[in-house]
Amino acid sequence: MTSVATPRPSLTSNDAAVLQALFDAESSPSSGVTVDSSLPPWPAAVNLSQEDLLLVKSREIEIIRELQPSMNPTSEDVESAINKLDDLLAQYPTYPPAYTNRAQALRMLVDLQSNDNTNTETSSDDALFTPQAAEVSTRILADLGQAITLATPASPADPISSGQARLLADAHTHRGYLLLKAARVKKTQALQEEAVGPDRLRGLGADQLEEMASRDFFLGGRYGNKVAQQLAVQTNPYAKMCGAIVKEAMRKEIEEFEGQTQPST
């Protein structure tokens, strides 16, 4: 006798929404951010006149133009650009993009110095998390943090300019990447706590660093970075845990269904 096939159970709308949030990176709430192109480029706290903004932007572009790949910048060129950004920020300490550009220039400097190093066993990214790079990596995280602080709206519900959204997406994603890299360096190389470069990361475990990275990726995705949206789901410990639970429940449900539909003898 052949048993009657049992219908496959259907998901409720709520269950479907949960699964969508767990497994689809595109479901992160970037739609919750209102971007208004008519707004001033930066919040009132930046406190720069239109004339000053034009001046500082012009100087900033002039500096970072020297760092374009087509210019084949050397370590000396990058150090010179960093010094110029130092001077620019000393005069305009509330201008957010200069902090993100200085953070990137510092990353470039570590990359170039790492490539010049005869020790090829350490990648340029790993070099950021050695004791020798502690000062530079601390500065990078501080610059990204300051840019985020200056550009973040007072309330998550407040509309933001397109420039704010772009900077916040990039800065959160950049910081998230560095935190995730620090977590993986700790895991794969079993480094002692004091060996991870940035001062603020010392004493933190790999899981803590990954959770911090996940939050930055979530925010980077929220402000529009598609890569950050995907990484937020991959690194979110709760999403990973729930995903494993759901997968196991689905596997058991399928096995049970197939057992019920097997012909009986």
Side-chain angles (χ1 to χ4, degrees):
M1 185 176 78
T2 303
S3 63
V4 178
T6 304
R8 290 180 182 269
S10 61
L11 293 173
T12 67
S13 58
N14 184 62
D15 290 337
V18 171
L19 288 174
Q20 177 78 359
L22 284 173
F23 297 114
D24 183 5
E26 297 300 322
S27 67
S28 57
S30 56
S31 59
V33 175
T34 301
V35 178
D36 185 345
S37 59
S38 68
L39 289 174
W42 305 110
V46 171
N47 196 29
L48 291 175
S49 67
Q50 185 64 27
E51 182 181 356
D52 283 340
L53 280 174
L54 290 173
L55 176 61
V56 69
K57 184 65 177 178
S58 175
R59 288 175 57 184
E60 178 194 27
I61 291 174
E62 183 180 340
I63 294 168
I64 62 177
R65 190 171 284 153
E66 301 172 11
L67 304 180
Q68 297 304 304
S70 59
M71 302 297 291
N72 294 317
T74 64
S75 296
E76 290 73 20
D77 294 330
V78 178
E79 287 176 340
S80 174
I82 291 169
N83 290 334
K84 291 176 182 177
L85 287 168
D86 289 345
D87 294 339
L88 186 64
L89 283 167
Q91 187 173 0
Y92 301 101
T94 61
Y95 182 63
Y99 288 100
T100 56
N101 281 316
R102 187 169 66 180
Q104 188 58 43
L106 289 164
R107 280 281 304 277
M108 289 180 64
L109 182 62
V110 174
D111 289 347
L112 288 169
Q113 291 176 341
S114 177
N115 291 336
D116 292 340
N117 195 322
T118 56
N119 179 13
T120 57
E121 294 182 0
T122 303
S123 72
S124 58
D125 282 342
D126 287 348
L128 272 172
F129 303 102
T130 60
Q132 294 80 6
E135 181 180 351
V136 173
S137 54
T138 297
R139 289 185 67 190
I140 292 172
L141 286 175
D143 277 351
L144 293 173
Q146 184 65 5
I148 289 168
T149 297
L150 290 168
T152 298
S155 167
D158 290 346
I160 60 175
S161 69
S162 55
Q164 274 179 275
R166 186 167 54 252
L167 181 142
L168 288 168
D170 292 345
H172 277 294
T173 303
H174 189 170
R175 189 170 68 178
Y177 171 78
L178 295 178
L179 292 168
L180 184 60
K181 183 64 181 179
R184 291 179 176 173
V185 165
K186 277 204 170 187
K187 284 182 178 179
T188 59
Q189 297 186 8
L191 294 177
Q192 299 296 320
E193 290 181 354
E194 63 270 21
V196 177
D199 293 339
R200 60 169 293 194
L201 304 187
R202 295 179 187 179
L204 296 177
D207 289 343
Q208 291 173 291
L209 292 169
E210 190 166 311
E211 288 178 17
M212 292 166 63
S214 179
R215 174 163 177 77
D216 264 323
F217 287 138
F218 170 79
L219 291 169
R222 187 172 188 269
Y223 289 112
N225 188 295
K226 298 296 184 183
V227 173
Q229 289 177 7
Q230 296 172 3
L231 288 170
V233 174
Q234 294 173 18
T235 57
N236 186 319
Y238 300 106
K240 289 192 292 185
M241 179 180 69
C242 293
I245 293 171
V246 170
K247 287 178 183 178
E248 178 64 14
M250 292 171 68
R251 182 187 67 79
K252 290 181 178 178
E253 191 170 8
I254 290 170
E255 289 178 354
E256 181 180 347
F257 170 80
E258 290 176 345
Q260 292 174 346
T261 56
Q262 290 298 320
S264 60
T265 56

